[in-house]
Amino acid sequence: MTKKEDIIIMNFSGIYRQQQFWRTGEIQRQNISWVEVQELTGSNCYCDEEAAKVLKEKLKKFSAEGMHFIDSGNYHYMSRIWLEKLETPFRLVVFDNHTDMQLPAFGGLLSCGGWIAASLEELPLLEKVILIGPDQEAFDQTEPVFRQKVQYLSREKLRIMTPEEKRAFFEKMEMDYPMYISVDKDVLCKDDASTTWSQGDMTLEELCQFVEILLDKQQILGMDVCGECDPDACDGNHLNDRANQELLRIWKGDKSL
């Protein structure tokens, strides 16, 4: 496994200030970098050209090779912005309850619901996407040109797979290219996360096991995590805090759960 120890927290909404996962003594001694982008206009759900310029300028000094916390799913398009910083051919593994391959109605905008499609269209170094979690109907509604470039494991398929079959899926992934991992916590069930979007039924234990296998078996370039709740309307922020803590612990090489 190849990865850097950089931990970057993107502060769009202020929600991370209400969490504890980054406050532990061991973590605080690490090099945590805060990217302050609260009140950035043109950035919520859709990222316009001016907001993209601001974001790219703020990220100029950072590498994509680290652990990035990018706030709620409204900002999942940040994965696309991180990915363009990679300088070697790579594969992208995404855990998400949605396909994120719906192109925006208005041109020139990068959206949280279309960032994977934008990445496939615009990033020549992206060799393949492995998408885990959305339901089959949603995937069938995406453009065929995108589906051809995506290996897909549906929510329905995950429900009927045995634990051994799930483990084998991740253990047997090809190792021909290094990998970037993107996690949207809306893939998790409501017992393990509270997000601003509809949620799946994966458990945190399962997600951590899957990510741990990838970190152990694959050459990992970087990883991001989103799926926070609205700071003004959230009863389950403690669930997200715990999920972030577990994913960060795995990233650092500690055993999960």
Side-chain angles (χ1 to χ4, degrees):
M1 175 178 61
T2 302
K3 62 184 179 64
K4 291 188 176 180
E5 296 301 323
D6 297 342
I7 301 168
I8 299 168
I9 298 178
M10 303 199 67
N11 185 30
F12 283 99
S13 71
I15 191 65
Y16 291 124
R17 300 291 186 188
Q18 301 178 23
Q19 297 183 3
Q20 302 298 316
F21 74 93
W22 55 273
R23 298 178 188 268
T24 65
E26 180 183 354
I27 297 299
Q28 282 198 321
R29 288 193 292 271
Q30 301 287 323
N31 181 26
I32 296 180
S33 299
W34 284 78
V35 179
E36 298 294 344
V37 283
Q38 273 191 283
E39 310 302 329
L40 177 62
T41 58
S43 66
N44 193 355
C45 289
Y46 291 90
C47 182
D48 64 24
E49 291 184 7
E50 289 303 314
K53 288 179 183 178
V54 172
L55 289 165
K56 291 178 183 181
E57 181 64 28
K58 285 181 174 288
L59 299 184
K60 186 177 290 186
K61 64 181 179 180
F62 299 113
S63 165
E65 299 179 355
M67 178 66 148
H68 317 123
F69 291 91
I70 58 178
D71 215 288
S72 82
N74 292 14
Y75 307 100
H76 204 170
Y77 62 76
M78 280 306 311
S79 298
R80 161 68 182 80
I81 294 176
W82 281 112
L83 292 176
E84 70 180 57
K85 297 170 75 71
L86 294 175
E87 299 178 345
T88 185
F90 68 96
R91 288 181 296 136
L92 170 65
V93 175
V94 183
F95 296 88
D96 202 309
N97 192 47
H98 308 89
T99 66
D100 289 359
M101 288 192 286
Q102 302 297 326
L103 294 175
F106 304 99
L109 293 175
L110 179 60
S111 74
C112 62
W115 70 271
I116 293 180
S119 298
L120 287 167
E121 284 189 321
E122 300 164 2
L123 300 179
L125 294 178
L126 175 55
E127 295 289 338
K128 185 178 185 180
V129 174
I130 304 167
L131 178 59
I132 299 150
D135 62 57
Q136 187 65 49
E137 182 180 3
F139 185 71
D140 291 343
Q141 293 174 359
T142 61
E143 295 291 334
V145 65
F146 298 138
R147 293 202 298 269
Q148 293 173 6
K149 302 176 183 179
V150 176
Q151 180 181 356
Y152 177 58
L153 182 58
S154 72
R155 180 177 181 176
E156 292 89 346
K157 179 67 173 177
L158 280 164
R159 284 173 177 165
I160 64 174
M161 292 171 71
T162 66
E164 293 75 21
E165 289 172 331
K166 294 175 184 178
R167 186 174 186 88
F169 176 87
F170 292 96
E171 288 182 335
K172 294 179 180 179
M173 277 188 187
E174 296 176 346
M175 301 177 65
D176 48 350
Y177 294 101
M179 177 182 294
Y180 185 97
I181 302 172
S182 183
V183 174
D184 189 332
K185 291 193 294 292
D186 69 17
V187 77
L188 294 173
C189 64
K190 291 186 177 181
D191 287 338
D192 286 327
S194 177
T195 76
T196 56
W197 296 86
S198 61
Q199 293 182 220
D201 44 31
M202 188 181 295
T203 67
L204 177 60
E205 182 177 10
E206 285 181 313
L207 174 63
C208 288
Q209 288 173 350
F210 301 155
V211 172
E212 201 164 20
I213 292 170
L214 295 177
L215 290 172
D216 182 55
K217 299 285 186 180
Q218 302 284 339
Q219 180 185 358
I220 303 300
L221 297 173
M223 178 174 169
D224 62 52
V225 179
C226 70
E228 306 312 322
C229 55
D230 183 342
D232 298 323
C234 181
D235 295 327
N237 195 26
H238 63 289
L239 300 174
N240 298 333
D241 193 7
R242 177 172 180 259
N244 290 337
Q245 181 182 43
E246 293 303 324
L247 290 167
L248 182 55
R249 183 177 297 164
I250 294 169
W251 177 259
K252 291 176 56 59
D254 299 334
K255 290 184 179 181
S256 63
L257 297 177

